[in-house]
Amino acid sequence: MEGLGEVATWEMDMAGWHLVFNATTIMMTLVIVALLLLFGWQAARKRAPVPNLFQVVGELFVVTFWGLTRDALDEKLAKKYFPLICSLFMFLVLSNWIGIIPWMEEPTKDLNTTLGLGIMGFFIAHFCGIQAKGLKAYVKQYFEPMFFMMPLNVIGEIAKVVSISFRLYGNIMGGSIIILVVTYLVYGLLLPPFLNAFFGLFVGTVQAFVFTMLTLVYISVQVR
Amino acid sequence: MDMSGADFVRGMALLGAGIAMGLGAIGPGVGEGYAAGKACEAVGRKPEEAGLLTRTMLVGQAVSESTGIYSLVVALLLMFVVK
């Protein structure tokens, strides 16, 4: 309970700026990336008609998300944006699951990670919209029902970023705080595995899926 | 009772966190229950579509849960950031 709300940081001064890095988040993100690279290497190492374990899981990811991406976008765009969607889901689901291992923390427990991913999705969606419709039609959609609705439309677009990143952050952070508090209250007896299974595995999977689907939906809304 | 300004702010922040969480939990609770009920009706009508319906229901519930999550974030801010 003592560590609640504390963040391990690296601080440094560079060129007149005082920089603060969240050490845990950076280290855990790198661990996730390393695990994903290992997974990709294992899945593609010995490709065979009778697949090994990693290839089965990889094919499961690819087939599921290829279907979803193709339903949301058309065939050509789906081919372009499918790697983004699939790897986003794999990154998020592994990030949310790694919290159930002791001494490991979710990178998504930090607002910086989720806000970064949300802003990435925002820029990709709008770039894709400009590319698909042309700059003139893209600007025109902000003045859509009437010209004075422009500020509302702009705020609506920015609120999308805030909403998806705060949803993921709040779920993971809230879940981990509930696990911590309840574990403290019951002296670590009996309940924590079930709490970890619910908040880590179930909520983590659902929220990773929701984040991925919403990024995909934002792209498809901009393209249409 | 003597109470300095900082204590008052801290107490009010904790009170605000409680109010934010309590009132903010009403909407998602009602909304998610309604979505689950509708999904149950739909599964009763078309049991062969149960997988798709469950997936859609979970995504919809996770989206409608976000207002509750915002109030959770506000409550956490009030508890841990306001000193």
Side-chain angles (χ1 to χ4, degrees):
Chain A
M1 283 296 277
E2 297 80 36
L4 199 58
E6 278 174 21
V7 182
T9 52
W10 293 323
E11 302 191 19
M12 62 185 277
D13 288 299
M14 198 174 71
W17 295 85
H18 183 65
L19 303 175
V20 181
F21 297 97
N22 288 4
T24 322
T25 309
I26 292 174
M27 290 314 294
M28 289 316 298
T29 309
L30 290 178
V31 168
I32 300 282
V33 170
L35 285 176
L36 277 182
L37 283 175
L38 201 68
F39 169 73
W41 175 63
Q42 280 291 332
R45 194 170 51 120
K46 269 189 247 158
R47 277 167 295 175
V50 181
N52 61 1
L53 177 67
F54 292 97
Q55 194 184 340
V56 168
V57 178
E59 280 177 3
L60 200 64
F61 274 124
V62 167
V63 168
T64 312
F65 279 87
W66 172 245
L68 289 168
T69 318
R70 205 188 41 203
D71 289 347
L73 307 168
D74 59 348
E75 192 86 22
K76 191 160 155 276
L77 274 174
K79 232 170 221 169
K80 192 171 168 190
Y81 288 100
F82 163 71
L84 168 80
I85 298 298
C86 191
S87 55
L88 188 61
F89 178 77
M90 285 163 78
F91 176 77
L92 284 176
V93 86
L94 195 59
S95 314
N96 293 346
W97 280 0
I98 207 161
I100 66 173
I101 302 171
W103 312 114
M104 296 277 190
E105 288 202 357
E106 302 94 334
T108 39
K109 224 170 92 173
D110 191 348
L111 183 55
N112 297 309
T113 309
T114 58
L115 200 57
L117 290 173
I119 290 170
M120 183 193 79
F122 172 83
F123 275 106
I124 287 171
H126 283 252
F127 174 74
C128 189
I130 292 173
Q131 213 177 28
K133 285 185 296 198
L135 190 61
K136 203 174 165 190
Y138 169 78
V139 174
K140 191 166 172 285
Q141 73 173 351
Y142 286 100
F143 300 91
E144 209 28 69
M146 264 164 277
F147 74 96
F148 59 84
M149 299 291 272
M150 197 271 283
L152 279 181
N153 285 330
V154 171
I155 291 172
E157 287 299 319
I158 293 169
K160 280 179 180 175
V161 178
V162 176
S163 111
I164 61 169
S165 42
F166 270 80
R167 180 178 304 126
L168 182 57
Y169 162 71
N171 269 290
I172 305 303
M173 185 75 184
S176 71
I177 287 183
I178 289 169
I179 290 172
L180 203 61
V181 170
V182 174
T183 307
Y184 177 76
L185 286 178
V186 300
Y187 298 102
L189 291 174
L190 197 63
L191 275 180
F194 299 105
L195 286 171
N196 268 311
F198 179 74
F199 287 107
L201 296 178
F202 178 68
V203 174
T205 315
V206 169
Q207 291 303 324
F209 186 70
V210 165
F211 192 97
T212 317
M213 281 296 104
L214 282 178
T215 308
L216 184 57
V217 165
Y218 291 165
I219 293 175
S220 83
V221 163
Q222 286 294 329
V223 170
R224 295 278 154 74
Chain B
M1 188 171 73
D2 56 338
M3 201 170 175
S4 70
D7 287 344
F8 185 70
V9 167
R10 178 88 184 125
M12 279 296 154
L14 290 177
L15 188 63
I19 292 172
M21 204 56 246
L23 290 182
I26 296 173
V30 174
E32 284 184 35
Y34 191 73
K38 284 288 181 188
C40 280
E41 279 178 18
V43 170
R45 212 173 294 133
K46 277 188 130 188
E48 67 273 11
E49 292 285 333
L52 176 70
L53 284 166
T54 310
R55 204 172 64 206
T56 318
M57 181 194 80
L58 280 178
V59 172
Q61 282 185 332
V63 171
S64 67
E65 196 186 341
S66 58
T67 48
I69 297 299
Y70 299 154
S71 67
L72 175 69
V73 171
V74 169
L76 291 180
L77 284 179
L78 284 170
M79 277 161 70
F80 295 116
V81 177
V82 177
K83 294 285 180 198

